[in-house]
Amino acid sequence: MAVKVSTLDERIKLTDSADSPLDTQEYFINMGPQHPATHGVLRLMLKLDGETVREVIPVLGYIHRGIEKIGEHSTYRQFVHLTDRCDYLSAMMNNWAVSLMVEKALKVELNDRIEYIRTIMAELERIQSHMLWWGVLGMDLGAFTPFLYGFRDRELITDIFEETIGCRLTMNYIQPGGVMDDIHPNFVDRVKKVIEYAKPKIDEYEELLSGNVIIQERLRNVGVLSADKATSLGVTGPVLRASGVPLDLRRVAPYGVYDKVNFEVAVGSVGDCWDRYWVRIEEIRQSMSMIEQLIDNIPAGKTMLMKPAKKTVLPEGSHYAQLETARGILGIYAVSDGVSDKPVRIHMRSPNYNNVWSADEMTRDSRIGDLVANVSSIDIVVPDIDR
Amino acid sequence: MLDFLFGQLVATHATFDVVTLSDRTTQALAEDPWLAAGYALLGLAGVGGFLSLLGMALIYVERKVAAHFQCRLGPMRVGWHGMLQSVADAIKLLLKEDIIPDRADRVLFLIAPVFSIIATTLGLILIPMSPSLQVVDLNIGVIFISAVSSFGVLGILLAGWSSNNKWSLLGAMRAGAQFISYEISVTLSLLVVTLFAGSLQLSEIVQSQQDGWWIWRGHIVGLVAFFVFLIASTAELNRPPFDLPEAESELTGGFHTEYSGLRFSFFFLAEFINMFIASALAATLFLGGWMPFHIGGLHTFNGLMDLIPPGLWFAGKTTFIIFLIMWVRWTFPRLRVDQLMRLEWKFLLPVGFINLFAAATLVITKLYFFPW
Amino acid sequence: MSFSPELHHWLILSTILFSIGIYGVLTRRNAVGVLMSVELLLNSAAMNFLIFNHYASKPFIDGAIMALFIIAVAAAEAVIAMALFVAIFRSRKTVDVTQINTLKG
Amino acid sequence: MDITLNPADLTHTIAFYTLALTSIVAALIVVTAKRIFRAAVALAVVLICGAGFYILLNYDFIAGVQLLVYVGGIVILIVFAVMLTSSLESIEEPPSLGRKALGLFSSLAFLATAVIAFSETKFPLSSISAEQPKDVAKAVGRKLLDYGAGGYVLPFEVISLLLLASVIGAIVVARNPKRKNEGSAT
């Protein structure tokens, strides 16, 4: 089956000719690449009829750094470093995806300590990512205060990361065969304290934003994405679950120690912005309970099973592993020739790339304000789209 | 005993003679033209200085209030507790490059901020801040203020149009639609007080609250009118939750997207002064302006209240309302365009009309509190 | 003759404004421009009412009421005209009065 | 020539001529500006000057209404009409020479006729001692709702009906018949 690829000009012409003759004047406007609501350098071409958005065409590539191509020239261990820079809010989960792929290819069995630490770290990172998202959603809808609340609480989690790892954003902690270093002696206590602290804070978030009548007006029945549409667009993560599809890799194809903890998969019913909001708030709560279940039971053991200095050569053929980041399914696909320690081809199936195309589906025939709410509720991280 | 003590005070303070600057000028004009010119100059300089000082003070207060709502300190570096931060910002804005977009309509682009600052200044001169601190006291004060504020929006429309930027144009269109709609509600609630006071003159409206402020003398009706006024004037000020014309996350700044430096600061200043005007107007109409807290008939109590000078009363009330508006700004998210219109046309407008009828009934039947 | 404004000064002023309005109505191509010229005419008419009220019948305010009526009529006229222009623009893509010469949209 | 004016009269005179000059220049811009938006701004200036004239004539209330309705309402409507029907780049073609000549001729002819008529007529001026009503707003209000002789309650009602009809008419004319189900307020 041939895939027809159309250029931007062709697409604009296509939508332009669909213009109904001599009725109202529809016009194109660029949202971005420098625009406060696009969270970085995403460019959205909007076809507007007054205030009504008729079509959204995402234009990508403004922060493209060729990470996949660089991956072909670096070893797997080096490639892990690059993945931090894609979805920087799920940095460790990106690391984990590469590690998972390598470990699966080499059939390395990990001990429980590594799996526990990885899971806890991933969940902590999911919490901080959702907290940041919550703040940014508030800011996109015009309330500036939530942004600072979200950042304030997220800061405590990044402090924990800093203590153990030495970094706050691009952690590069999870490596093929284990984790970079053992956890800090304070780690367990601090995580417990932060969870204790953050639990009432989530209720505070709800008080500040969720119950607000304007937020309800802005989010309810806005940007409805049906389950069919969502699956056919390849949308994953909270956006998909909000549409009513309970696809969560942590439950469906468990990795780490997700099969040992109890948690609910938050699933929405309508697929509007409010469901996406609610799913994420619920996920923060679930992640907290997961961490509470795990944090006291971290078993003893080594934290690195593969010698970092040793050359890692994957068997010939293609290898794939995927996991659930804060934004959806991240898959790492690598082809090895069986000789070199560098992949022949590496590809990332990043959640944001698929999610961003749902903006058009959600926003058609609604207002600019809704577009902002929709883009915000998809929770895109632009470097992950362009890679 | 107390009556004996304060009886004297009641006699001296119960009536306030309003002498405005323009009255002084007209009086002096016949005898000493130079004195009149002096008064006029004083008025000009006073308004100009007040405008810029007040603007800077409000910006500082806004930042501090915002900061404390958000669990942080706000400006702390320049001066004691960042008191001089606004001065530093003003200097920075003055020194910035003044950029005019290439394909913009230069003439209109340049005069747009002037339009809005002039409208603001004209509104400011009518505010009675104390019996002797008012520049002009027109006998159509209420109408004049709403008229003047409505050509402030012309500056916004000009800015949006002349920038030759689609975002600015969208912002300007939103501003125009929003302004025309909410103007109706503001006027309706102004009319309620006009009915109560039987005058359009601001100083007379203040004087009419001798026995109690309209917000509680006109009990429910006054309260409803006050809230309608507060909501609608927040919308006219383009402040959150009604800041759609400049919605940063939607329109990248709306009508002032293309403005920089001094011209941007004009818009900024006008916006803050407008906030002051709206608050001062709310205080004047509903909370008695500079009139102390009086309860009709209780002369002793009223005499005690008269000990606090009228200027302080005015400042206190206005500050309170400014704080309310800021509180709202830093708590609520923004409405959507159609929701904004729905709020006005389907909620505020009917409520305003019904309230106006209720006010008329109230005035005819004399059902206020303290009708004596 | 004094320079301080008397009745004839005022009348000449309003007549000048009226003539400028006539010129605009006759020469403007843009329909909105024509509307603006009409507003000039109405404005000077309202001014005339007030002038005569002030100089000829000071104790009464009938002229002022007429001026109010003119302002109200001008508002109604502007509303309708704007709606018509927008409708015309929608179907013809122009508001040039020299090109709008058929009654059928 | 009377030079010895008292200061109050002097300011009055200066204000009159300044406003007159401004409004004539602005009116000329209204009818000749190539960019229609500039004409709209000039119209606003003319109308603001008009309010100034009314204040000079001691009709503060009418001046307020003029600002409120004309500047705050009509000019903004016109600005909207401009925004909806043209773009910043659209520059109006100047009228043909014939039209220009016709317009110039008719307006000058009208001016000449009117000025001659004024100078020929003896207007029945009211005496200097005649006093204007203290509160014009109050007097206007009473007169508008007076249904006796000299009252204007009927015209007042007719005007309100006219305004209502025009609002409804405008909505009907400007409504987009195709998209009925969408909200019309944008």
Side-chain angles (χ1 to χ4, degrees), chain A residues 21-25, chain C residues 89-93:
Chain A
L22 293 182
D23 186 12
T24 47
Q25 212 175 3
Chain C
F89 185 75
R90 230 180 240 158
S91 63
R92 308 288 302 263
K93 291 275 179 222

Side-chain angles (χ1 to χ4, degrees), chain A residues 67-75 78 342-343:
Chain A
I67 283 181
E68 288 174 8
K69 193 73 192 165
I70 301 171
E72 292 168 15
H73 295 275
S74 49
T75 64
Q78 285 168 338
K342 293 166 185 170

Side-chain angles (χ1 to χ4, degrees), chain A residues 318-370:
Chain A
S318 59
H319 310 284
Y320 182 73
Q322 59 182 10
L323 52 71
E324 186 85 22
T325 72
R327 276 159 200 79
I329 294 176
L330 172 69
I332 304 284
Y333 174 82
V335 180
S336 171
D337 57 2
V339 182
S340 164
D341 59 345
K342 293 166 185 170
V344 176
R345 172 80 175 95
I346 203 153
H347 175 69
M348 299 169 78
R349 182 240 174 267
S350 70
N352 289 301
Y353 181 79
N354 285 56
N355 288 1
V356 74
W357 299 97
S358 64
D360 181 33
E361 180 62 33
M362 289 175 188
T363 321
R364 245 175 228 209
D365 295 337
S366 49
R367 318 276 166 177
I368 298 176
D370 289 344

Side-chain angles (χ1 to χ4, degrees), chain B residues 337-354:
Chain B
V337 182
D338 51 331
Q339 290 163 352
L340 182 90
M341 289 297 158
R342 214 182 309 143
L343 175 70
E344 161 63 20
W345 294 100
K346 294 195 174 160
F347 178 70
L348 285 185
L349 193 66
V351 167
F353 267 119
I354 293 168

Side-chain angles (χ1 to χ4, degrees), chain A residues 169-220:
Chain A
L169 193 68
T170 52
M171 260 86 67
N172 187 27
Y173 180 60
I174 298 175
Q175 299 280 327
V179 293
M180 198 75 144
D181 207 344
D182 206 352
I183 49 174
H184 195 271
N186 286 343
F187 181 78
V188 174
D189 280 348
R190 269 188 95 161
V191 168
K192 277 192 212 158
K193 256 187 215 151
V194 165
I195 297 292
E196 268 322 296
Y197 164 84
K199 265 190 172 169
K201 289 293 169 196
I202 301 302
D203 297 334
E204 190 185 321
Y205 289 6
E206 295 242 46
E207 266 172 41
L208 182 62
L209 223 52
S210 314
N212 189 311
V213 68
I214 300 178
I215 279 286
Q216 295 275 337
E217 285 278 316
R218 287 295 303 273
L219 297 183
R220 282 219 193 254

Side-chain angles (χ1 to χ4, degrees), chain D residues 115-127:
Chain D
V115 170
I116 290 167
F118 292 152
S119 50
E120 293 294 305
T121 319
K122 265 226 157 310
F123 292 108
L125 294 187
S126 55
S127 61

Side-chain angles (χ1 to χ4, degrees), chain B residues 47-347:
Chain B
V47 168
F50 186 70
L51 198 79
S52 40
L53 278 181
L54 183 72
M56 288 202 280
L58 280 175
I59 289 166
Y60 173 75
V61 170
E62 170 101 63
R63 295 178 68 172
K64 275 290 183 193
V65 168
H68 285 281
F69 271 115
Q70 294 163 350
C71 318
R72 58 194 176 91
L73 290 171
M76 288 295 281
R77 297 292 172 86
V78 191
W80 183 77
H81 273 251
M83 290 290 260
L84 299 176
Q85 183 67 46
S86 299
V87 181
D89 284 348
I91 293 170
K92 182 201 76 177
L93 278 173
L94 290 179
L95 295 179
K96 267 195 165 180
E97 187 187 355
D98 187 19
I99 299 166
I100 301 173
D102 190 27
R103 309 275 302 274
D105 189 334
R106 284 183 77 93
V107 179
L108 297 184
F109 189 80
L110 297 185
I111 63 169
V114 183
F115 242 96
S116 47
I117 202 100
I118 285 179
T120 306
T121 318
L122 286 178
L124 192 64
I125 58 175
L126 254 83
I127 303 290
M129 301 190 194
S130 86
S132 55
L133 206 67
Q134 185 179 8
V135 182
V136 187
D137 188 22
L138 290 181
N139 57 0
I140 50 152
V142 174
I143 288 187
F144 186 80
I145 281 200
S146 54
V148 158
S149 69
S150 69
F151 76 77
V153 77
L154 204 56
I156 291 177
L157 287 175
L158 280 186
W161 171 266
S162 62
S163 302
N164 196 11
N165 176 332
K166 285 172 185 164
W167 293 116
S168 303
L169 188 63
L170 268 176
M173 294 287 251
R174 281 180 174 191
Q178 180 176 333
F179 202 90
I180 291 184
S181 313
Y182 279 85
E183 180 80 13
I184 304 170
S185 275
V186 168
T187 314
L188 282 178
S189 46
L190 288 182
L191 283 178
V192 168
V193 178
T194 314
L195 269 180
F196 283 158
S199 172
L200 291 168
Q201 198 167 354
L202 285 175
S203 64
E204 267 185 37
I205 289 176
V206 175
Q207 298 270 23
S208 73
Q209 309 187 46
Q210 188 91 339
D211 290 337
W213 306 341
W214 288 122
I215 189 169
W216 51 284
R217 248 189 103 192
H219 35 94
I220 302 166
V221 177
L223 210 64
V224 170
F226 177 69
F227 281 112
V228 168
F229 181 83
L230 216 57
I231 294 171
S233 59
T234 314
E236 275 199 25
L237 294 170
N238 300 336
R239 280 179 71 85
F242 307 105
D243 64 337
L244 290 138
E246 50 197 83
E248 186 184 271
S249 56
E250 291 169 25
L251 304 183
T252 58
F255 63 89
H256 59 56
T257 306
E258 298 285 1
Y259 280 85
S260 60
L262 186 63
R263 282 169 218 292
F264 168 72
S265 73
F266 272 17
F267 279 122
F268 207 55
L269 195 64
E271 192 176 302
F272 275 90
I273 303 294
N274 278 336
M275 178 171 71
F276 171 79
I277 293 176
S279 313
L281 206 58
T284 304
L285 296 173
F286 297 98
L287 303 181
W290 43 256
M291 187 62 74
F293 183 75
H294 281 177
I295 297 175
L298 297 181
H299 293 297
T300 318
F301 179 75
N302 295 350
L304 268 173
M305 286 292 141
D306 285 344
L307 285 177
I308 303 171
L312 270 186
W313 278 105
F314 173 79
K317 291 167 190 173
T318 310
T319 314
F320 170 68
I321 293 175
I322 288 177
F323 177 73
L324 269 187
I325 293 179
M326 285 181 179
W327 188 356
V328 167
R329 168 166 186 174
W330 296 108
T331 314
F332 283 138
R334 178 185 307 128
L335 283 165
R336 207 172 57 211
V337 182
D338 51 331
Q339 290 163 352
L340 182 90
M341 289 297 158
R342 214 182 309 143
L343 175 70
E344 161 63 20
W345 294 100
K346 294 195 174 160
F347 178 70

